[in-house]
Amino acid sequence: MIARLKDWILFRGVRRRISFLFLIAAFLPVITLTIMLYGMVAEISHEQDEQKKVETSRAYSIKVYERILFAEAAIQRLSSNPEATWKARDLLFNTVALVAPNGRMLQHTGEPLPASVNEAISLARKSASYPHKAAVHVLKKMDAHAAPAIAISMNRPIPGHPDAILFAVFNPMYLWGDPEAESQEFNTCVYGVDKTQLFCVYSEGSQKDVEQAVAKGAGIWELFLKGRFHGSNWVVATQHRYAAQPTQWQRFFSIYVKVALLSVFLVGFLSLFQIRRTMGPLRKLIDGTRRIAHGDYAPVEIPANNEFRELATAINDMSGRISEQIRTLQEHEERFRHQARFDSLTSLTNRRALFAMLDVLGEDQYVSDLTGVLLLDIDRFKFFNNTLGHRAGDFLLRQIARRLEHLVDDNDTVARLSGDEFVIVLRDCKDREEIRQIVERIIMGMGEPFNVEGNDYALTCSIGVAVFPEDANNPEMIVEAADMAMYESKKKGRNNFQFFIPTMRDSKLNRLRLDTDVRHALERNEFFLEYQPKVNASTGRIVGAEALIRWAYPKLGVVSPDNFIPLIEDIGLMVPIGAWVLETACAQNMAWHQAGFTDMRVAVNISAYQLAHHSLVPTVERVLQETGLPARCLELELTESAIMENFGQGIETIAKLRSLGVHLSLDDFGTGYSSLYYLKHFPVHFVKIDRAFISDLTTKDEDAVIVRSIISLAHDLQLQVVAEGVETIMQRDLLLASGCDEFQGFLFARPVVGDEVKRLLERQKRDA
Ligand code: C2E
Ligand code: MG
Ligand code: MG
């Protein structure tokens, strides 16, 4: 409260300067005017006062003079009729006397003459030289304090007393008049020749002699008696009875001062009021901008429609925009924060947050608990992505994310590591068996079809499982372990899972990430083909050869296709690499043809990827045309599962290939669906019985039964049968007895380079 009052009175800054200027502007002219006016008023008042006093003295002089004149007339009349003298005395004179030149009283009426009359008589005598002239005398009394008597003498012969002088002492009441009739304000005194006081209207406060009166500021008028009356002039002095009363001017001035003070006060008050009114909105604006600086964007309200409101509107606009921008920034920040922790596509925990979480897990882990870290890779996701398009691929990934979240407990975490790789962290597991059950549940759950754009797609996944803290106890190593295990399950034909075992660490392939290197293998000419001959079962002669891809990987030496085919399928390079195999194999076969082995057939493996790709048929056509190889000398090996994955389109493609005139064989028969029923729907020429059956042919009776059944069924369907992986003579003999048409296996030949095949053919020709 006091602070507010202080603030109100002791303005600060701009307010203080403005109010100070206002007050200066109001005060300065008023004070200057007042000082000037005061000087003028004082001067005028003084002059007026002086005039008034002199005027009063003059008026009084005239009155006394007129009375003396009247008394002169009276005494003249007396002189001519002395008898009347004695009667007339009462009004004008106190004493009338006729005095002989020697001073003897001849006649007398009224009060006795004062002793000083003798002086007067001598004076009167002197005035005898002025006959018929009256003289005025001042007759001092014996008592020095008593007022002197004033007498008038007539120096004119009186009948019967020619030398006598007529003396009349004035009645003071007559001569000086009634004091009541005089101004109450002034005291008028008359001073005689010796400057002594003759009379004062008011005796109190009067000055003894004229000099004193003049010193006190009396207004002086000389009563000129010398001319007409023998005697000296008198001086009439008027001075204030009391201290000087304020004059009109002074009264005006005192009112003026009050009005001036009032107006200054009014100006001050109005200016302060106006400053307050001006400063009020300014204060609001200052407070408003301070609030904005502190993040409060409530608008500044200025009720009056003036410049301040315009400023407030501008500030409000500005703060509106700032708050909008800050909100946007906060949203961005929120999004960034979300992006920092969550994967933008699937909203799952992202890689960085996963590793942070695993880090914390390492610190918090109870010794008795196990944590399962699963690395899940969608099998052949690239294939889906490429055939359905990226939008559908993204949609599929989101569905997979939701499915995975659904398949695990709430306190487990599903994270997206990259592309189609997910990490699932299973917490608080009792033992490995519990983890195994959950993983099986996930594989089962993932087997349910996904619906994308109205079509159902069956996906499989490969999972690697590492157990924390047994397999590793830091985030990078545990994920790496799960990755190695996942890679193993891919190698094992996908759609399964593997627990990490330490020997996986020793596997060179797992230790090195082939992904990056395999991408460049084609352009670096690191791939090459080997050819494994196929022989006619009854003649034992080479009738064809299967092209098998090899990767001459500088870091590891020659890598077998089982180890990198899944990789190149996953990274989407199967189609171009497959085309290169086709071109190379056909060109090689043409070389054999040109060497004279014109019946040679070359077999090329076609993956599910290639079969699903629209480019397969045109590529085969182009390669045949470019190499000039007759279509019948090319054989394409397709796996049962590749056809089944996309049954309708697969059958269609096979039919087109067949119409080109190429041979087709069903590779690895018996490992996939092994449905003899479907066999009739596959328009192929050969069935290749999988190595797995051949190896156990001589040891397991049921395998021999299966092989015999396959051969007889295939023959019923007009298909030829090829047995792969024939390693022993016993196997060969058994197969031969069952009616198998062709053999392939180490017993006859290992996969070798093209020139070696040519040498084998040449030797065979020589031997024939
Ligand atoms: P596949 O088509 O079944 O090829 C036969 C595999 O069996 C070859 O292994 C071959 O070396 C092996 N093999 C042949 N005779 C015997 C034998 O008597 N005993 C044993 N133990 N193995 C024998 P490889 O070359 O490692 O090829 C593995 C698989 O890789 C092939 O199986 C094929 O599916 C795939 N593959 C190879 N080259 C290509 C290719 O160019 N394109 C595609 N898509 N797949 C290929
Ligand atoms: Mg094959
Ligand atoms: Mg095979």
Side-chain angles (χ1 to χ4, degrees), residues 529 532 546-550 560-562 565 569 574 578 581 604-607 610 637 639 667-668 688 690-691 724-727 744-747 749 751:
L529 296 183
Q532 187 177 32
E546 180 182 2
L548 295 164
I549 190 166
R550 306 284 178 256
S560 85
D562 281 336
I565 292 280
E569 279 186 337
M574 195 62 244
V581 173
V604 173
N605 292 287
I606 300 295
S607 79
Q610 290 167 281
E637 294 190 9
T639 62
D667 202 356
D668 302 345
K688 285 183 82 177
D690 193 69
R691 203 163 66 226
E724 64 172 21
V726 182
E727 291 179 345
Q744 189 184 10
F746 295 168
L747 179 65

Side-chain angles (χ1 to χ4, degrees), residues 112-123:
L113 283 170
S116 60
V117 78
N118 294 334
E119 246 177 90
I121 291 167
S122 62
L123 197 78

